[in-house]
Amino acid sequence: MWQESSNQYAASSSHGSYYAQGPPQNVPLQFYAPGPDQDNFYPGSRSSLEGNLGVQGHMAPQGAGPGFGGTIQQPGGWWTAFGTGGFEGEPPLLEELGINLPHIRAKSMTVLNPLRRVDERIMDDADLAGPLLFVFCFGTLLLLSGKPQFGYIYGFGLLGAASIYTLLNLMSEKGIDAYRVASVLGYCLLPMVGVGAISVVVKLNGILGYVLSMLSILWCTYAASGIFVAVLRMSDQRLLVAYPIGLLYGCFGLLSVFNVGAGGAGYGK
């Protein structure tokens, strides 16, 4: 016990003698100044970060410091955001907005060629970008021909889509959602857009207009009924599906021929 206490006191006295020693006398203070061979001692210093920027934007640090991988892509024009490439590691803007141009093109070609066999999975990626574009083009072309029908187009489209949605779910066992119904009806409006484009150049209040409107109604009806039958597997009920769809597109055909909001005779100008 006595030995342990004496050891402790001895240790404390030794520490005290060590801390009691002051700095050496008559020695001037000197600050640390790194030599020329110690510039690369710290690889994270600023000098090592200032690399050479090559043509492709590759960071090549000076000296023997660690390299930094990757490339710096040169900024493109404003149209780069609307393309299919985009920047490295980021999806294109159209893809983020849910607009798939290849799918829109494939569905449009299916409508333009209704005699081709329809894939039953064509509406697995349903969208409204193409239908909204076609409806806007149809209304704009009718406006240019002197028939402003935006309100009627919106009303007929909304009421018709709701009616077709109800009928298809009552007739089929598989069922379909309203989003896909609106997508199919909008895509199949494409032939009617062509009639609207013709109405800008030629007046359709005669025999030519009646024939073109009837052909476009049959075209739209055949394409839409074929897609619905393929998706819902209702091949035995195609005529029953085509009848209400034909009535809906008949309303759009009347809008393309007659100026409904003009009053009086109601013929297109």
Side-chain angles (χ1 to χ4, degrees):
M1 185 69 181
W2 180 80
Q3 293 179 355
E4 291 179 357
S5 60
S6 62
N7 292 336
Q8 292 179 358
Y9 288 123
S12 61
S13 61
S14 62
H15 287 299
S17 61
Y18 176 78
Y19 288 109
Q21 295 178 1
Q25 300 296 329
N26 301 325
V27 177
L29 295 178
Q30 295 182 357
F31 295 94
Y32 175 75
D37 57 340
Q38 298 179 353
D39 291 341
N40 297 326
F41 182 76
Y42 296 99
S45 61
R46 182 177 178 82
S47 59
S48 63
L49 291 178
E50 295 176 352
N52 296 326
L53 184 61
V55 178
Q56 300 296 331
H58 182 73
M59 295 298 295
Q62 297 176 353
F68 296 90
T71 58
I72 300 177
Q73 186 175 1
Q74 298 296 332
W78 59 269
W79 57 86
T80 308
F82 298 93
T84 57
F87 295 100
E88 182 180 359
E90 299 215 2
L93 178 60
L94 296 180
E95 183 177 344
E96 292 182 351
L97 296 177
I99 301 176
N100 196 328
L101 295 180
H103 287 189
I104 294 177
R105 180 180 177 275
K107 296 172 186 176
S108 301
M109 295 304 298
T110 302
V111 174
L112 294 177
N113 188 11
L115 300 178
R116 186 177 61 180
R117 182 180 177 274
V118 180
D119 187 8
E120 63 180 8
R121 294 186 174 275
I122 190 174
M123 281 297 143
D124 288 351
D125 184 21
D127 66 286
L128 290 180
L132 291 177
L133 177 63
F134 295 154
V135 170
F136 178 77
C137 291
F138 182 61
T140 303
L141 291 172
L142 293 184
L143 178 63
L144 294 177
S145 64
K147 297 184 286 291
Q149 312 287 7
F150 282 100
Y152 291 99
I153 293 173
Y154 176 77
F156 287 148
L158 184 61
L159 182 61
S163 302
I164 300 299
Y165 164 75
T166 305
L167 291 175
L168 290 178
N169 282 278
L170 291 176
M171 295 171 60
S172 65
E173 298 179 357
K174 186 177 180 181
I176 190 172
D177 56 282
Y179 190 81
R180 285 177 171 79
V181 172
S183 179
V184 173
L185 295 177
Y187 273 109
C188 294
L189 190 67
L190 184 56
M192 201 70 66
V193 177
V195 176
I198 297 176
S199 67
V200 178
V201 184
V202 182
K203 293 182 179 180
L204 299 181
N205 55 353
I207 300 299
L208 179 62
Y210 302 154
V211 173
L212 290 177
S213 61
M214 287 298 298
L215 290 178
S216 63
I217 292 170
L218 294 176
W219 194 341
C220 297
T221 302
Y222 188 84
S225 61
I227 295 177
F228 282 130
V229 167
V231 173
L232 299 176
R233 300 175 183 176
M234 301 168 57
S235 57
D236 298 334
Q237 300 174 335
R238 181 161 187 173
L239 292 178
L240 296 177
V241 174
Y243 177 70
I245 295 175
L247 294 179
L248 174 61
Y249 287 115
C251 297
F252 290 111
L254 293 176
L255 294 178
S256 63
V257 175
F258 302 103
N259 192 357
V260 180
Y267 291 105
K269 297 180 181 179

